[in-house]
Amino acid sequence: MSMFFVYLETNWLVSFILPHHQWRGEARSLLDAAERGECKLRIPVAAFLEARHVVQRETEDHARAVKAVSEGLSAAARNLNDPALLAVARDVVKAESSYHLPDPQRELENLTARCKSFMIHHPQEEQAALDALLPSVGMRGTDVVDLHIISAILADRDLNRVPEAAVLSTNSKEFDVAGTTSKLPRDVYSKRRLVYLPKFNLAGAKALWKRDDGRGWPTPQPTSPDPRRREVQKLLSGLDDSQIDPLLEQLRKLVSPPS
């Protein structure tokens, strides 16, 4: 049986750690599958570094949200003189305390140690992949960490394109290539015999790989029409005859190769 590579990023680590995360069950099942030898996880070092901050932030955000709900219900109970609402407020706090992690960072450290054999780090190759990617991506500002993680994934895959492989990330905004507003080149995965799946589902990833391999690795198309095309059509429809020829000349200059 050939080994199936599974590339992961920060969201998988966060999902694995936090009990209130919607993808926790799937994240944990994936690690179990890897430890049974059903796949080999490949996780950039940068993801572990970023996860420290994300775990802390999401833990604090969740605590604030639970507190706000409880306080809101308590205030409503007092204003409406409704003991049932007060009981609900207490139950919310009690429920959260039943799964609250006393030390999420320690949990992350334990997971990091467990995943040590899955870490990937090729500094020179990752820098080269980043340099090649920069001119054609739409990532700026806070996206920079994702850009480094993607570069690490591409560098590792370029070193070994033989195994069947998938990128699994619930962060479709940054990692998907089929969306209308994709920030990555649409062929960034297909030309490396990689598939992308927005969930932590090994069986689904394997099926998707078989499908695309059978199709000869087509470049994914946008999931819906590019809104910029509609804008161009709208502008063109508003031109009068005297404006069309000058515009055509400008368009020819844009698409013609430089001399």
Side-chain angles (χ1 to χ4, degrees), residues 13 21 26 60 99 137 148 184 192 209 228 235:
L13 298 167
H21 205 287
E26 289 83 352
E60 293 173 354
Y99 63 79
V137 297
H148 279 275
L184 292 170
R192 292 174 171 85
W209 197 94
R228 294 174 299 178
L235 292 172

Side-chain angles (χ1 to χ4, degrees), residues 107-156:
E107 298 285 340
L108 180 59
E109 289 173 7
N110 293 339
L111 177 60
T112 300
R114 189 175 172 185
C115 292
K116 188 173 182 179
S117 63
F118 302 136
M119 291 182 184
I120 55 174
H121 188 47
H122 314 289
Q124 292 183 339
E125 291 82 358
E126 290 173 19
Q127 184 61 54
L130 177 62
D131 292 341
L133 201 55
L134 277 174
S136 56
V137 297
M139 296 188 185
R140 300 292 185 270
T142 57
D143 298 340
V144 68
V145 177
D146 289 326
L147 184 55
H148 279 275
I149 289 173
I150 290 167
S151 297
I153 291 172
L154 300 184
D156 187 77

Side-chain angles (χ1 to χ4, degrees), residues 221-247:
Q221 299 303 308
T223 53
S224 59
D226 191 329
R228 294 174 299 178
R229 292 182 180 274
R230 291 195 296 270
E231 180 67 15
V232 169
Q233 291 171 349
K234 181 179 179 181
L235 292 172
L236 290 175
S237 66
L239 297 177
D240 59 40
D241 291 343
S242 65
Q243 295 172 305
I244 292 177
D245 287 340
L247 179 60

Side-chain angles (χ1 to χ4, degrees), residues 35-46:
E35 293 180 333
R36 289 194 301 266
E38 297 174 19
C39 63
K40 185 174 181 62
L41 306 186
R42 311 289 287 171
I43 312 171
V45 169

Side-chain angles (χ1 to χ4, degrees), residues 11-33:
N11 282 323
W12 179 79
L13 298 167
V14 176
S15 300
F16 191 99
I17 295 298
L18 299 181
H20 61 270
H21 205 287
Q22 62 177 325
W23 298 105
R24 191 177 196 237
E26 289 83 352
R28 293 189 163 224
S29 294
L30 187 57
L31 181 56
D32 290 341

